Amino acid sequence: HKKAIAPVPERKVWAQELQAQYGVSIAVSCQVVCMSRTAYYYKPKLSDDSEIIDVLNKLTDKHNRWGFPKCFKRIRKLDYSWNHKRVHRVYTALNLNLRRKSKRRLPARNPQPLSVPNTLGHTWSMDFMSDKLHNNIRFRTFNVIDDYNREVLGIDIGTSMPSLRVIRYLDQLAEWHGYPKQIRVDNGSEFTSSIFTDWASAHGIYIDYIEPGCPYQNAYIERFNRSYRNEVLDCYLFNDLNEVTQLTEDWIKVYNNERPHDSLNDMTPAEYRQV
């Protein structure tokens, strides 16, 4: 029984030892070790998979976006006759499988009409912008305005803006202005993450997502972004984030208190707040 379950290579060695020690024939030695003569005479075409590994590595290095089907078809055209199951076994052992990126389906969006809220603090619009320092290090800005009087509530600046930082900054703004009834945002990952949606739900805030590819549905913040770009980001070469922050804070004071707005009957956001 032990001989019957032993691996074929091991039984072949036993058969060869019997032939050398007792001078028996191949047929007898195979019968003793429970092995067919076909298995005894079988010689693998390749002792290992090194040639397959070399061919696959060359193909994937040259065509790094090819999957297994294309690689195997190319191998066939190169006149290799390896079985596709064997090639696929080596392909997966080398971790050459391409990870399929599935697109996340967004839920149906029903954006509200872009109208001016009746009260201060009802709707906040927010968006991200990006720029770079003098040393080419990129940074992002998180801009938040009140739709009622276009007042800049704040601009957070940093090299990274994950959802946790976004909600932490919004909590800081809420300490001064209170939480809004709704916020208008695009479909960026920072706004669609469960962390952000759970935060909004906990504070009773309705998230008004615009439709993908329709920035005009968030026109108030888009118009503000253009002003911020023209009057700050495109006007200076920044050495560090502290410089960006300081110039931005100075500009926000002017924007809220001195800069007249056509849509506010030439009043500033601070003046319109008093109406």
Side-chain angles (χ1 to χ4, degrees):
H1 178 70
K2 180 180 178 181
K3 294 176 183 177
I5 63 174
V8 171
E10 188 175 341
R11 280 183 274 166
K12 186 174 182 179
V13 172
W14 292 344
Q16 292 172 343
E17 290 176 351
L18 287 173
Q19 297 165 28
Q21 188 172 353
Y22 299 103
V24 298
S25 65
I26 292 176
V28 173
S29 63
C30 287
Q31 187 177 3
V32 171
V33 299
C34 303
M35 179 182 183
S36 69
R37 280 184 292 173
T38 302
Y40 179 87
Y41 284 114
Y42 175 77
K43 292 182 179 179
K45 295 180 181 178
L46 286 177
S47 57
D48 55 36
D49 298 319
S50 58
E51 190 175 359
I52 301 177
I53 292 173
D54 290 341
V55 172
L56 281 174
N57 282 332
K58 289 178 182 177
L59 277 176
T60 53
D61 286 345
K62 186 177 181 180
H63 310 285
N64 56 10
R65 296 305 300 172
W66 280 16
F68 173 75
K70 284 192 180 297
C71 287
F72 184 72
K73 290 174 184 177
R74 182 57 183 164
I75 286 173
R76 276 282 188 262
K77 287 185 176 293
L78 295 174
D79 293 330
Y80 294 105
S81 58
W82 301 313
N83 183 281
H84 76 280
K85 288 188 244 184
R86 182 179 184 185
V87 178
H88 187 265
R89 174 179 56 80
V90 177
Y91 182 85
T92 54
L94 294 173
N95 291 323
L96 297 176
N97 311 58
L98 289 176
R99 184 170 64 88
R100 186 180 298 275
K101 294 183 178 179
S102 58
K103 293 187 176 181
R104 183 160 52 100
R105 187 178 296 278
L106 293 173
R109 301 308 193 196
N110 297 298
Q112 301 297 315
L114 187 62
S115 56
V116 179
N118 294 324
T119 58
L120 190 69
H122 181 275
T123 304
W124 292 359
S125 291
M126 52 195 71
D127 196 13
F128 293 97
M129 298 179 68
S130 64
D131 208 320
K132 61 184 179 180
L133 302 176
H134 182 63
N135 56 7
N136 287 329
I137 294 178
R138 300 203 67 84
F139 65 89
R140 302 183 75 192
T141 71
F142 175 50
N143 309 340
V144 185
I145 67 171
D146 191 312
D147 286 2
Y148 174 72
N149 63 339
R150 319 302 194 275
E151 180 181 2
V152 185
L153 303 180
I155 299 178
D156 192 20
I157 299 168
T159 55
S160 177
M161 290 286 175
S163 296
L164 284 174
R165 175 163 180 166
V166 168
I167 62 177
R168 186 168 61 247
Y169 187 68
L170 291 175
D171 283 333
Q172 293 175 3
L173 294 180
E175 292 179 3
W176 291 91
H177 306 282
Y179 289 98
K181 300 296 183 183
Q182 72 174 26
I183 54 179
R184 184 178 288 113
V185 295
D186 60 22
N187 296 275
S189 59
E190 301 87 357
F191 300 133
T192 57
S193 69
S194 59
I195 296 175
F196 186 82
T197 56
D198 290 345
W199 169 85
S201 177
H203 293 285
I205 301 173
Y206 172 73
I207 304 178
D208 182 16
Y209 289 107
I210 66 173
E211 293 176 326
C214 300
Y216 59 85
Q217 293 177 355
N218 203 2
Y220 295 145
I221 192 68
E222 292 292 341
R223 179 62 182 86
F224 169 80
N225 289 347
R226 189 177 74 178
S227 298
Y228 182 47
R229 173 74 67 186
N230 290 338
E231 299 177 22
V232 180
L233 297 181
D234 286 350
C235 290
Y236 303 96
L237 289 175
F238 305 106
N239 293 314
D240 52 45
L241 292 182
N242 289 332
E243 194 170 67
V244 183
T245 302
Q246 186 59 55
L247 287 169
T248 297
E249 290 177 351
D250 293 341
W251 178 80
I252 289 175
K253 294 176 183 176
V254 173
Y255 186 92
N256 285 339
N257 297 283
E258 299 178 20
R259 188 180 189 274
H261 287 250
D262 294 340
S263 59
L264 303 179
N265 296 323
D266 293 333
M267 288 187 283
T268 67
E271 292 171 339
Y272 198 79
R273 172 194 283 267
Q274 309 300 325
V275 175

